[in-house]
């Protein structure tokens, strides 16, 4: 399937717009992020009050921050939240104090092995405060007094998440989930947000209504997915397939992490699409660590939800550092990730089981014009074999993906054969 023209640069522009915002698991940064995404696709925004019980968790207090800095005796801001939202430990409690560098050091986080990069650190559920800075900045700080200021609030409020639904021909759903809680980190996960946004647009703008209903979930990591599951228990049984998008824009090869089941239809579809496309890729087994696939795949839900990324989390040096900036992600990589998603969903949407209506002996294809329809095609033999395989396996038990895998044929070829056979009245869904 051809990429949508110009979407790579457009997705990169969206990443650049979102990059300066200070996001966390709650707060105005999440709302501002969803406001921008809402300019591209309609969103239904949900606000869940602090203290709400969601499965085994409780929605925490809302965190917001206005300013933060460490200033030397001359008043110069050595560390400044205004320069980057990464400079503050996420969920820092407010502080206003003057202290010696020796005392301050215990609240400073650096990366000694990457002295020019600022790390990303949080303290969501333990009251703490701190700053993140480059090791070279810390090395240049002289002993003496420093003014320390974090103008933040932790108060009862809400957890915010949003959904976008592309209606399908049936109410069975495919969910696409991405986390919106990380601050200025382009690959993790602004690229995922951008790909999800443009995937939703592609499905909504397609000439034909998709077979499945597609539900896009933009939520804070872990607590957001848990909140969605807690609030949608009655809907979960409709979820037939799902994909978590993360780290979707770096230059690495594509990586698909299978669902907990390992043999869910989305797992088979992704393996087939990646293999047939001959893209450099890796398929990994499920582990209960990573992104929100582990929530959707938890044993009580056990949904068929996998995770698609390029270089996986913690698999590149820039991960959770200031080096994960808009220059680290590329329009080409995001466009390729989007194309794989579209290819995979096209397979999901067309993967049916058929019944051969002429199962006794091989039906005569020539008198129905089916062989003539193949004339002139460069893949005539392959298309003919696809017809024969579809007829052979259309017993109500095998899907078109089963046919493609067993025959060693591209799914598109098999689906086209099924369309021709159905048009000739030889098979039915």
């Amino acid at each position: 399937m051809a990429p949508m023209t110009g979407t790579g640069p457009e997705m990169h522009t969206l990443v650049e717009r979102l990059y300066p915002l200070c996001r966390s698991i709650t707060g105005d940064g999440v709302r501002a992020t969803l406001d921008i995404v809402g300019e591209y696709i309609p969103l239904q925004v949900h606000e869940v009050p602090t203290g709400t019980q969601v499965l085994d968790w409780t929605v925490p207090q809302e965190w917001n921050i206005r300013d933060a800095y460490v200033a030397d005796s001359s008043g110069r801001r050595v560390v400044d939240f205004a320069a980057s939202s990464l400079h503050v430990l996420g969920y820092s409690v407010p502080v206003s104090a003057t202290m010696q560098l020796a005392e301050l050091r215990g609240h400073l986080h650096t990366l000694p092995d990457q002295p020019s990069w600022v790390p990303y650190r949080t303290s969501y559920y333990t009251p703490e405060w701190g700053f993140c800075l480059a090791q070279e900045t810390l090395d240049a700080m002289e002993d003496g007094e420093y003014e320390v200021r974090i103008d933040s609030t932790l108060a009862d409020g809400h957890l915010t998440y949003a959904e976008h639904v592309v209606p399908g021909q049936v109410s069975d759903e495919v969910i696409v989930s991405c986390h919106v809680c990380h601050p200025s980190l382009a690959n993790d996960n602004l690229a995922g947000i951008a790909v999800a946004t443009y995937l939703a647009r592609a499905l909504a703008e397609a000439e034909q209504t998709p077979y499945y209903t597609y539900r896009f979930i933009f939520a804070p990591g872990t607590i957001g997915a848990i909140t969605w599951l807690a609030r949608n228990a009655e809907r979960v049984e409709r979820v037939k397939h799902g994909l978590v998008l993360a780290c979707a824009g770096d230059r690495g090869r594509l990586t698909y992490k299978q669902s907990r089941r390992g043999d869910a239809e989305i797992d088979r579809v992704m393996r087939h699409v990646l293999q047939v496309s001959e893209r450099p890729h890796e398929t990994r087994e499920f582990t209960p660590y990573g992104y929100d696939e582990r929530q959707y795949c938890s044993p009580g839900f056990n949904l068929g939800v996998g995770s698609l990324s390029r270089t996986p989390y913690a698999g590149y040096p820039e991960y959770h550092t200031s080096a994960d900036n808009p220059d680290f992600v590329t329009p080409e990589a995001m466009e390729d990730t989007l194309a794989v998603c579209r290819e995979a969903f096209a397979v999901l949407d067309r993967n049916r089981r058929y019944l051969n209506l002429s199962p006794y002996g091989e039906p005569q294809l020539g008198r129905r014009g089916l062989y003539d329809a193949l004339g002139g095609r460069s893949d005539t033999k392959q298309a003919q074999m696809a017809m024969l395989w579809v007829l052979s396996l259309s017993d109500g038990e095998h899907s078109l993906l089963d046919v493609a895998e067993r025959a060693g044929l591209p799914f598109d070829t098999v689906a086209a054969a099924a369309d021709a056979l159905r048009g000739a009245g030889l098979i039915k869904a």
Side-chain angles (χ1 to χ4, degrees):
M1 183 177 294
M4 296 168 64
T5 305
T7 50
E10 290 172 0
M11 286 187 286
H12 199 270
T13 296
L14 177 55
V15 168
E16 291 176 323
R17 289 188 66 192
L18 295 173
Y19 184 75
L21 299 177
C22 181
R23 280 164 292 273
S24 189
I25 56 173
T26 62
D28 292 334
V30 174
R31 296 185 185 96
T33 297
L34 297 177
D35 284 346
I36 291 175
V37 173
E39 297 175 19
Y40 295 75
I41 55 174
L43 292 178
Q44 181 180 8
V45 178
H46 305 269
E47 297 276 7
V48 185
T50 296
T52 301
Q53 188 71 28
V54 286
L55 305 181
D56 194 47
W57 295 59
T58 304
V59 173
Q61 288 190 311
E62 183 176 322
W63 183 68
N64 285 294
I65 182 167
R66 287 159 291 279
D67 193 15
Y69 59 86
V70 175
D72 62 18
S73 57
S74 70
R76 180 178 66 92
R77 293 190 175 192
V78 181
V79 183
D80 191 356
F81 169 76
S84 170
S85 60
L86 294 178
H87 277 309
V88 174
L89 178 76
Y91 254 62
S92 279
V93 298
V95 61
S96 181
T98 300
M99 61 185 68
Q100 295 291 323
L101 179 59
E103 181 183 359
L104 178 58
R105 280 181 182 275
H107 296 275
L108 301 180
H109 305 271
T110 65
L111 294 168
D113 292 340
Q114 298 286 354
S116 64
W117 295 356
V118 177
Y120 165 55
R121 298 287 185 269
T122 64
S123 183
Y124 292 142
Y125 301 104
T126 302
E128 182 59 272
W129 64 268
F131 291 87
C132 299
L133 64 159
Q135 179 65 44
E136 59 190 23
T137 301
L138 177 58
D139 292 342
M141 293 173 65
E142 299 179 352
D143 289 339
E145 273 194 347
Y146 288 84
E147 180 188 358
V148 178
R149 170 80 166 162
I150 297 179
D151 182 12
S152 64
T153 55
L154 273 166
D156 287 352
H158 297 83
L159 178 145
T160 310
Y161 71 91
E163 297 175 285
H164 172 82
V165 177
V166 180
Q169 299 172 35
V170 298
S171 61
D172 289 345
E173 293 188 358
V174 179
I175 60 172
V176 179
S177 180
C178 59
H179 58 279
V180 297
C181 51
H182 286 18
S184 296
L185 299 173
N187 199 40
D188 181 24
N189 186 39
L190 298 180
I193 295 171
V195 170
T197 300
Y198 276 81
L199 178 58
R201 289 182 64 169
L203 290 168
E205 294 168 2
E207 292 183 6
Q208 184 175 352
T209 301
Y211 178 73
Y212 289 106
T213 292
Y214 286 83
R215 183 175 299 274
F216 289 78
I217 303 168
F218 299 86
T222 304
I223 185 65
I226 286 171
T227 299
W228 185 87
L229 286 164
R231 288 166 55 88
N232 290 273
E234 78 291 344
R235 188 190 303 281
V236 164
E237 65 180 19
R238 297 188 205 166
V239 176
K240 304 305 178 184
H241 320 284
L243 197 60
V244 170
L245 290 174
C247 302
D250 67 87
R251 293 173 175 83
R253 64 183 180 180
L254 285 156
T255 302
Y256 177 69
K257 176 183 172 182
Q258 298 184 135
S259 72
R260 176 178 175 270
R261 298 184 203 169
D263 62 350
E265 190 171 341
I266 186 67
D267 300 326
R268 297 178 58 207
V269 166
M270 290 302 304
R271 289 195 299 261
H272 178 81
V273 166
L274 289 169
Q275 182 177 356
V276 169
S277 73
E278 298 184 347
R279 290 177 173 89
H281 70 277
E282 178 185 3
T283 299
R284 294 187 171 188
E285 297 292 328
F286 175 81
T287 62
Y289 188 77
Y291 293 110
D292 284 327
E293 69 279 355
R294 68 188 196 271
Q295 311 307 333
Y296 302 116
C297 292
S298 56
F301 296 108
N302 197 27
L303 299 177
V305 176
S307 177
L308 182 65
S309 62
R310 302 197 72 85
T311 307
Y313 63 89
Y316 50 97
E318 297 84 356
Y319 178 76
H320 279 194
T321 77
S322 57
D324 184 0
N325 57 46
D327 291 337
F328 181 65
V329 299
T330 72
E332 295 78 13
M334 286 187 284
E335 199 163 88
D336 186 48
T337 306
L338 173 63
V340 169
C341 292
R342 295 182 68 201
E343 291 164 21
F345 289 172
V347 173
L348 276 179
D349 258 21
R350 292 181 294 166
N351 191 29
R352 304 278 184 281
R353 288 176 171 81
Y354 288 94
L355 187 65
N356 188 335
L357 299 178
S358 182
Y360 299 101
E362 181 181 303
Q364 190 174 4
L365 302 181
R367 70 179 175 85
R368 293 176 170 86
L370 291 172
Y371 281 145
D372 293 341
L374 301 176
R377 288 180 53 159
S378 60
D379 62 342
T380 299
K381 184 174 178 58
Q382 189 180 66
Q384 178 181 330
M385 286 303 302
M387 283 191 185
L388 296 176
W389 272 111
V390 170
L391 285 169
S392 178
L393 295 179
S394 289
D395 52 9
E397 299 294 329
H398 293 85
S399 69
L400 293 184
L401 184 58
D402 292 327
V403 177
E405 290 178 340
R406 183 162 174 181
L409 295 170
F411 181 89
D412 283 349
T413 302
V414 171
D419 288 343
L421 292 168
R422 185 177 55 189
L426 288 171
I427 61 173
K428 71 174 183 178

